[in-house]
Amino acid sequence: MKKNEFYEWLKENTNLMESSIRTYFYAIEKFLKEVKELNIEEINKFISENFRNKRNYHYKYAIKKYLEFIKREDIIPKLVKVKISPRKKVGHYYDKETILKIIDGMNYYKIVALIQYITGARAKEVLSFNRNKLIKETNGIRLILEAKGGKETGVYIPNPYAEKVLQVIESRKKEYPFLKGSSNNFTTLLNNNYRYYLNELKKSVEKLGIEFNTHDFRRNFARMIYNISGKKISVVKAALRHSKFTSTERYIGELVSKEELDKLVENIFT
């Protein structure tokens, strides 16, 4: 593979953000090292093994783009369909005071936790924020984050929290102000910081004697939006930036009974 050519092709022919382009690029480097012959059997074996063992969903998407790059689109329809059932995770819900105590007990990644709590964004979406993707608005700021699939999504942070976020961003003179350390591989850098973030959050939570994980910020955000909107699933869907109602229902299902959920769905679709 002519590395620079594929990298430039991704930049010119896709709407992926820079971090996703790097992720795809390094995924294909690994792919070409392990797959000696470019035939469907070897490709599908690689996809199946990586999905099963590492849950690296981006590999299949990267391979599709690579096949387009080398003009072998004929292989794409033959790629194996691999689906991993998500693990059932139990959400932990607390009042505003408790969640703010969790955040206050953190250090370097305190600002990441705060942004998650205010916006409902996923941890890695916040961690990979690029300082050039910030828009100042009348009563706050909007951060343009990279969501699933490499798509850009904007999250709004009102004052006075916006002022705290701006202060941190301006004090850290880095392209990615929420990451620390360095690596030639952006995916490695992001994953390392995610682990650091998990450890810092874990220490804060243990001091309070409760259970809480990074995705619980998103769950609690969904609950707050759900309650303040008058229990409107459509509002929660928009707030969580979901493309399908079925994704939102998984969050709402933890907050209401099956009967209440059925009634809400009826109100939307009938």
Side-chain angles (χ1 to χ4, degrees):
M1 175 180 68
K2 296 180 179 179
K3 296 181 180 180
N4 292 336
E5 286 186 18
F6 180 55
Y7 192 90
E8 292 302 320
W9 183 89
L10 286 172
K11 291 175 68 174
E12 294 175 6
N13 295 276
T14 70
N15 293 321
L16 295 170
M17 292 182 69
E18 184 69 24
S19 56
S20 284
I21 290 174
R22 284 196 289 264
T23 298
Y24 280 30
F25 178 75
Y26 290 119
I28 293 303
E29 273 197 327
K30 174 180 170 63
F31 168 71
L32 293 177
K33 285 179 182 178
E34 296 187 15
V35 177
K36 303 304 180 184
E37 294 185 23
L38 201 63
N39 58 59
I40 192 62
E41 290 77 16
E42 291 295 316
I43 295 173
N44 281 339
K45 180 182 177 183
F46 175 85
I47 292 173
S48 298
E49 288 179 350
N50 280 282
F51 265 59
R52 183 175 65 251
N53 296 332
K54 298 182 180 179
R55 299 195 174 194
N56 287 328
Y57 295 96
H58 61 273
Y59 276 127
K60 187 172 182 179
Y61 298 114
I63 290 169
K64 284 183 177 180
K65 291 301 178 186
Y66 179 69
L67 292 172
E68 290 180 27
F69 168 66
I70 62 173
K71 302 188 184 305
R72 289 300 309 273
E73 293 95 334
D74 58 296
I75 297 178
I76 295 176
K78 302 174 185 177
L79 295 179
V80 64
K81 294 181 179 179
V82 181
K83 184 176 181 181
I84 298 175
S85 299
R87 292 172 293 176
K88 179 66 176 178
K89 294 184 179 180
V90 178
H92 305 98
Y93 298 90
Y94 299 103
D95 56 28
K96 181 178 179 180
E97 182 181 358
T98 301
I99 294 178
L100 289 177
K101 283 182 180 179
I102 293 172
I103 296 171
D104 286 339
M106 300 176 69
N107 296 305
Y108 185 86
Y109 298 100
K110 178 186 293 187
I111 197 66
V112 176
L114 182 64
I115 293 172
Q116 274 203 272
Y117 175 56
I118 296 169
T119 67
R122 299 174 182 87
K124 287 188 177 181
E125 292 175 352
V126 180
L127 284 166
S128 60
F129 166 72
N130 185 311
R131 69 181 305 114
N132 297 315
K133 299 287 186 176
L134 184 150
I135 301 171
K136 293 183 179 180
E137 300 191 356
T138 304
N139 297 313
I141 59 174
R142 192 172 302 277
L143 305 183
I144 307 303
L145 307 179
E146 182 177 349
K148 285 185 175 180
K151 296 180 180 179
E152 290 189 342
T153 183
V155 295
Y156 178 66
I157 302 174
N159 290 323
Y161 293 113
E163 296 168 357
K164 294 182 179 180
V165 174
L166 272 175
Q167 185 178 9
V168 172
I169 292 174
E170 291 172 357
S171 67
R172 299 176 182 176
K173 309 297 183 182
K174 299 186 295 184
E175 184 178 5
Y176 297 94
F178 304 143
L179 299 178
K180 62 180 178 181
S182 61
S183 174
N184 293 328
N185 186 324
F186 184 81
T187 302
T188 299
L189 178 64
L190 179 59
N191 288 337
N192 286 343
N193 273 267
Y194 181 65
R195 286 195 294 273
Y196 303 153
Y197 177 35
L198 284 177
N199 290 334
E200 196 171 289
L201 176 62
K202 182 180 178 181
K203 290 178 181 178
S204 177
V205 168
E206 286 177 345
K207 289 179 182 178
L208 296 174
I210 59 178
E211 293 186 29
F212 198 85
N213 58 61
T214 62
H215 208 69
D216 283 330
F217 285 118
R218 188 168 172 82
R219 293 187 179 98
N220 280 267
F221 175 78
R223 183 180 70 170
M224 290 187 293
I225 295 295
Y226 176 70
N227 289 333
I228 202 168
S229 69
K231 300 185 177 181
K232 295 179 180 177
I233 296 181
S234 57
V235 177
V236 179
K237 174 179 175 290
L240 293 178
R241 299 166 293 281
H242 284 152
S243 59
K244 299 178 181 178
F245 272 104
T246 51
S247 299
T248 311
E249 287 173 1
R250 289 200 294 270
Y251 287 80
I252 302 304
E254 297 182 5
L255 306 178
V256 298
S257 66
K258 183 180 182 300
E259 291 73 21
E260 288 178 298
L261 181 58
D262 290 346
K263 188 64 178 177
L264 287 167
V265 173
E266 286 175 7
N267 291 338
I268 293 173
F269 295 107
T270 60

